[in-house]
Amino acid sequence: MALSDHLRELRARILKSALALTVGFVVALIFFDPIFALVEGPYTSAQDALGADNTQATTNGVGGPLMLYLKLCGLTSLIATSPFWLYQIWAFILPGLHANERRWTRIFVSIAGPLFLAGVLLGYLTLPKGLEILIGFNRDELLNLVDFNDYLSFFSRTLLVFGIAFEIPVFVVMLNLAGVVKGRTLAAYRPWIIVGTFVFAAAATPSADPFTMCFMAGPMILLFVISEVIARYNDRRRDRGRINAGLSPDEMSPL
């Protein structure tokens, strides 16, 4: 294809994605109340667990309620239509890939998608406890006003961080398949990787409480161990395919 044809195809896929996002935004406006209840759930759960009335969700300014509608519906549309616009990106890149690259990409996409959703779900389930710990530092004689627009940003960052964290083992396996990282290297640096995982979880979680940090680091370590097992198996499979595998530089190969 000529460059102009690529640009026309890119424009068509961008327009399709924009149309899907617009339709998703309109649908989110129609179902705003249940979406709002879903997002507000972790905050109300934390509020009930504290059993205190010294915290209250608010919107600030004249345009605060409108911004809440726009941000929440926009975020909902972005998430709900992600399979469509991600497919548009994939369909634009696909013709430039070789057959084996397409096969591996399909495998990783089928694994990365459920892992990301699992991370988002875990983030949503642990968010009430993180909010409870953070709001619990508020003194009884003070009223804690939570701007819901800020809470929405905090909510989306938490779920996004959890989702991305669950993708790290996928990238480890990709690096192993590319020959960049060996399984035995991962095993040698396993203690440092575990420490680094906890440091990453402590820095990445917006709530910065030990409960949320452990809930992120624990599954990440488990997924890393699984990726290490896959990497070591792939290394053995790769070595069996080589005639001179395991020979030292001083040994002569059968050839």
Side-chain angles (χ1 to χ4, degrees):
M1 294 175 64
L3 178 60
S4 58
D5 295 330
H6 282 294
L7 294 177
R8 278 192 291 269
E9 182 186 1
L10 178 62
R11 180 184 62 184
R13 298 197 180 278
I14 291 176
L15 290 176
K16 291 178 182 177
S17 300
L19 179 61
L21 288 170
T22 303
V23 173
F25 186 87
V26 174
V27 173
L29 283 174
I30 298 173
F31 296 96
F32 181 82
D33 289 340
I35 294 172
F36 179 83
L38 180 67
V39 174
E40 190 189 24
Y43 174 75
T44 55
S45 298
Q47 196 177 31
D48 295 339
L50 289 170
D53 56 356
N54 61 342
T55 178
Q56 182 180 352
T58 64
T59 55
N60 294 330
V62 177
L66 176 61
M67 289 303 301
L68 175 59
Y69 269 81
L70 296 178
K71 289 176 66 174
L72 184 53
C73 292
L75 179 63
T76 304
S77 175
L78 187 67
I79 296 173
T81 61
S82 59
F84 181 81
W85 56 262
L86 285 173
Y87 170 76
Q88 297 300 320
I89 297 175
W90 160 254
F92 180 74
I93 298 175
L94 185 63
L97 300 178
H98 297 292
N100 61 329
E101 294 173 337
R102 297 180 188 180
R103 179 171 59 87
W104 282 113
T105 306
R106 290 190 183 95
I107 293 174
F108 281 115
V109 168
S110 62
I111 296 173
L115 277 179
F116 183 83
L117 294 178
V120 169
L121 178 61
L122 181 62
Y124 184 83
L125 295 177
T126 58
L127 188 57
K129 188 62 177 180
L131 291 171
E132 180 185 343
I133 293 174
L134 293 177
I135 299 175
F137 284 103
N138 189 54
R139 296 182 60 86
D140 294 336
E141 60 269 21
L142 299 177
L143 178 62
N144 175 241
L145 298 178
V146 178
D147 185 359
F148 206 87
N149 284 295
D150 293 338
Y151 166 75
L152 181 59
S153 300
F154 179 87
F155 176 89
S156 57
R157 283 201 308 270
T158 301
L159 300 192
L160 182 63
V161 166
F162 268 85
I164 293 176
F166 273 50
E167 298 298 312
I168 293 179
V170 178
F171 291 108
V172 171
V173 175
M174 288 180 63
L175 291 175
N176 175 257
L177 291 173
V180 178
V181 176
K182 300 292 185 182
R184 58 179 177 271
T185 304
L186 295 174
Y189 288 94
R190 188 187 303 125
W192 292 104
I193 293 174
I194 293 175
V195 173
T197 300
F198 276 97
V199 172
F200 170 80
T205 50
S207 58
D209 63 276
F211 179 85
T212 308
M213 177 193 70
C214 292
F215 259 82
M216 174 184 283
M220 283 182 63
I221 293 174
L222 177 61
L223 290 172
F224 165 75
V225 172
I226 295 174
S227 64
E228 179 188 330
V229 172
I230 295 174
R232 293 173 74 90
Y233 170 78
N234 183 61
D235 289 342
R236 288 195 296 268
R237 180 185 60 81
R238 185 182 298 159
D239 290 340
R240 284 197 298 266
R242 298 172 182 168
I243 298 177
N244 59 344
L247 296 179
S248 71
D250 297 328
E251 290 182 273
M252 183 180 299
S253 71
L255 295 178

